[in-house]
Amino acid sequence: ATQDRQDAVDELLREPLDAMLVIGGYNSSNTISLAAICAAKVPTYHVEDATCIDPERGTVRHWDATRKGEVESAGWLPPSGALRVGITAGASTPNNKIGDAVARVLATRGIGRDDVA
């Protein structure tokens, strides 16, 4: 499953992306590896869960591998205009955590769950 997920991320990274969100534990070797692969190609934000994304403030708390700690970034997504965000998660990240994070990303741009078909 881990190699399949890495292959899927490699395929996703062939697309032009503005940012990548990696969801999963900061101590998960699989998630850390996914974040490193993504960070080599696109601005990447490794979050533990949806609570790390604050749509009202436009910030994200994420793991910074260089600093070896959690940091907060403001303006991680532009407030308007076309935007492509890739989203992946560690193999053990539950689907509901992924869905919650997607909802918060959308909320950051003013899009509610009911607005998504």
Side-chain angles (χ1 to χ4, degrees), residues 47-68:
V47 300
E48 279 195 312
D49 56 39
T51 63
C52 293
I53 303 165
D54 186 338
E56 285 147 25
R57 294 179 51 228
T59 61
V60 62
R61 282 183 295 108
H62 60 98
W63 185 258
D64 184 319
T66 304
R67 295 182 188 168
K68 304 225 182 291

Side-chain angles (χ1 to χ4, degrees), residues 8-116:
V9 166
D10 286 338
E11 186 173 329
L12 179 61
L13 290 171
R14 289 189 192 104
E15 301 291 326
L17 299 173
D18 298 295
M20 188 71 171
L21 184 69
V22 180
I23 308 157
Y26 294 153
N27 60 349
S28 162
S29 60
N30 170 250
T31 308
I32 292 167
S33 176
L34 291 172
I37 290 167
C38 296
K41 298 189 178 199
V42 64
T44 299
Y45 303 91
H46 175 184
V47 300
E48 279 195 312
D49 56 39
T51 63
C52 293
I53 303 165
D54 186 338
E56 285 147 25
R57 294 179 51 228
T59 61
V60 62
R61 282 183 295 108
H62 60 98
W63 185 258
D64 184 319
T66 304
R67 295 182 188 168
K68 304 225 182 291
E70 193 175 60
V71 298
E72 184 173 84
S73 295
W76 70 291
L77 294 180
S80 62
L83 181 67
R84 292 184 66 144
V85 178
I87 298 175
T88 190
S92 62
T93 303
N95 287 340
N96 64 322
K97 277 192 168 189
I98 298 167
D100 291 346
V102 169
R104 284 196 177 227
V105 169
L106 293 172
T108 299
R109 295 297 297 266
I111 302 168
R113 286 184 192 250
D114 294 339
D115 298 327
V116 180

